[in-house]
Amino acid sequence: MAKDRSKNATRKGGNGPTPATKPQGAQARRASGPAGGGGSAPGAGANGQSAAPAAPSVIELPSSLTVRDLGHALGVSPIDVMKKLIGFGIMANINELIDYDTAAIVAAEMGFETREQKAEEEEAPKVAPTQLPSWRDVQDERPENLRPRPPVVTVMGHVDHGKTSLLDAIRNTNVVEGEAGGITQHIGAYQVELQGKKITFLDTPGHEAFTAMRARGAQATDIVVLVVAADDGVQPQTKEAIAHARAAQVPIIVALNKIDKPEANPEVVKRQLADLGLLVEEWGGNVICVPVSAKKRLNIEELLENILLVAEVAELKANPFRPATGVVVESRLDKTRGPVATLLVQRGTLHVGDNLVIGEIAGRVRAMFDDKGRPVSEATPSTPVMILGLSDVPKAGDLFEVVEDERTAKAIAAERAQQRQQAAAVRPARVTLEEVFARMQEGKAKELNIILKADVQGSLEPIESSLQKLGTEDLKVKILHSAIGNIGESDVMLASASSAIVIGFNVSVDAAARALAEQEGVDIRLYNVIYQLVEDVEKALSGMLEPTYKEVVTGHAEVRAVFSISKRGKVAGCYMTDGQVTRASSVRVIRGGQVLFDGKIASLKRFTEDVKEVNAGFEFGIGLEKYDDFQVGDTLEFYKQERV
Ligand code: GDP
């Protein structure tokens, strides 16, 4: 098998395999078997490679694998795999896991025969440990490929407690030996060195950036330095920072700042921290607390030493021998240099010349600079670098990955853009208050998104807080937007885009907004009593809200002739006296003020043509489901049910 794997790697040539996002053991391998055969059509040529060995006829696939891995296993572009999946109605992205059965169907469609790997075959290391592969050949994180990497640190804490000062103090006190003259550039992250070991600091303090990155799936931080001013103690944002660090399961080191101040009272702060479950070492806990002064540059080195200590315990490692992946730390459009982005390499090694994709942006690393503004040719894990060569400005928090060539980068970027457009074009599932519960039961809805409009600020606040209290563990109430004023088109747009419902309190709905809501299937609910509003949402959350319907009569017709059609019974020749009938209308047959039948339409025709609707002033033929006892002079009343 090892031989087959290396063949697979060689076959890709060029910049080597794309970074694997696969889970351990999910690698696909070609089974030995008769050469040639099945895979000739799409073949390896789809990757733009020429010297590809002929594909064997049976390809082994693991029980689950990513779209990308399937593409590689088949020797075709992952994009083609995605297209096939879309053909089956499956919108899978390149990193999505699909099961063997799905993979086999796609493979068969492309002319490949596959078989499922047995569980024990999926176990990883097949490459002899002595054979240290070059990074371009490696896709998996095997233990022998892992190397220690510097910790990545984010500084958090309450406003004015000294986060920025501390980041400045660390940056300036620690000028790495032998690189004097390197002027620190503000690129969003920087590295310092102590005892020959590096530490990477993210230069945007605060938990907002940290959490925004996490929301995009980027866990960039290994250690949080919590700055608490010794003269001010624990404050609201201190608590928030602790909550965010805990949510991300990132270890916290406390920097007790401003100890130069006479008012500083470290013991009080330690007590406050203990109350929040952060017990410092000197009190028998395991939280490291370093008293510092950012202003006087006191104990900064001790803080750094402790960061290294925590990092050592965490045994932070990464595989540098693979194409780079990581996260965008900062980005901007430079007037002369074009899009500029600071990337934090998390795995692999980034090189000048590498092709990469960031979200829907493709690019090639034209030039790369370190945090001192010096050109560099490569960047290993935990290294921040500023790069040039992107076609557009990515967003901070976006993930990047190096791919084999420019063509692939562009194709993936284009595919992602197309997928997003397609997803946007698909009409969102109707989100009504009643349906939220149904969707929650199916496990689809995890939160009820609400857009709230009210007449005055004074009513917005109490409504918001009462709604927020209604959320449960399983179903959260999330107010996406709240504002004063009538419900307008933009509110409905936002609701539609985010599967939200719109709630209005003492406001009305613009005509255009109502039309858009109808078209987009957005639920707008109007109230003038807070209690009712809150109760409705509560009922919806607990699944008790029954939809209420009202009947709307859409039109009437008069029966002018009755025709007998053998087999199908009788149909009525009618004249539409007012309104409209559609194929979906419900109908009542009324004779002498008596309703003789109430039911559905079986057929609706004009002359011999089936029609969807007939308007006032026209003649038509109609057949009903389970009723045909028409008489000339009967009135047909058409109606529909409308949700209130
Ligand atoms: P941030 O909002 O947390 O980034 O706080 P800053 O770094 O902007 O600091 C807020 C204020 O506290 C500034 O006026 C700093 O000069 C001051 N400051 C920061 N660190 C210290 C310190 O160690 N000692 C004293 N005395 N003042 C400090």
Side-chain angles (χ1 to χ4, degrees), residues 376-400:
V376 289
S377 58
E378 57 173 46
T380 49
S382 296
T383 309
V385 275
M386 199 183 81
I387 66 153
L388 305 181
L390 295 176
S391 56
D392 207 343
V393 183
K395 286 193 280 290
D398 277 351
L399 302 172
F400 77 85

Side-chain angles (χ1 to χ4, degrees), residues 148-156 191 198-202 210 213-214 218-225 244-246 248-253 306-318 327 344-347 381-383:
R149 63 172 178 83
V152 179
V153 180
T154 295
V155 175
M156 297 191 199
Q191 278 191 322
K198 289 183 172 146
I199 304 172
T200 304
F201 283 89
L202 295 180
F210 174 82
M213 279 207 189
R214 279 214 322 126
Q219 175 89 305
T221 304
D222 301 308
I223 297 169
V224 163
V225 167
H244 286 267
R246 278 185 175 151
Q249 299 185 322
V250 174
I252 296 173
I253 295 177
N306 278 291
I307 290 171
L308 285 176
L309 206 72
V310 172
E312 216 161 277
V313 173
E315 289 191 51
L316 303 169
K317 284 181 179 156
V327 60
L344 175 71
V345 177
Q346 293 182 295
R347 310 202 293 171
S382 296
T383 309

Side-chain angles (χ1 to χ4, degrees), residues 138-212:
V138 178
Q139 286 197 39
D140 309 317
E141 310 299 16
R142 296 208 173 79
E144 66 267 24
N145 294 335
L146 294 175
R147 298 288 178 274
R149 63 172 178 83
V152 179
V153 180
T154 295
V155 175
M156 297 191 199
H158 194 70
V159 66
D160 277 346
H161 278 199
K163 299 180 292 292
T164 315
S165 309
L166 184 64
L167 279 164
D168 285 345
I170 294 168
R171 186 194 277 120
N172 296 325
T173 34
N174 194 280
V175 176
V176 179
E177 295 274 336
E179 64 170 36
I183 299 161
T184 310
Q185 314 278 307
H186 283 263
I187 66 164
Y190 65 84
Q191 278 191 322
V192 295
E193 200 171 317
L194 188 79
Q195 302 154 0
K197 290 180 184 142
K198 289 183 172 146
I199 304 172
T200 304
F201 283 89
L202 295 180
D203 215 352
T204 321
H207 54 258
E208 291 81 6
F210 174 82
T211 299

Side-chain angles (χ1 to χ4, degrees), residues 155-168 205 227 231 256-262 292-298:
V155 175
M156 297 191 199
H158 194 70
V159 66
D160 277 346
H161 278 199
K163 299 180 292 292
T164 315
S165 309
L166 184 64
L167 279 164
D168 285 345
V227 178
D231 62 334
L256 205 51
N257 193 30
K258 308 199 186 184
I259 49 155
D260 58 292
K261 284 190 149 188
V292 298
S293 166
K295 194 173 179 179
K296 298 263 156 68
R297 310 260 155 104
L298 290 173

Side-chain angles (χ1 to χ4, degrees), residues 324-343:
T325 64
V327 60
V328 178
V329 171
E330 206 174 271
S331 62
R332 68 194 159 84
L333 188 62
D334 188 278
K335 274 197 216 92
T336 53
R337 297 190 289 182
V340 175
T342 297
L343 306 183

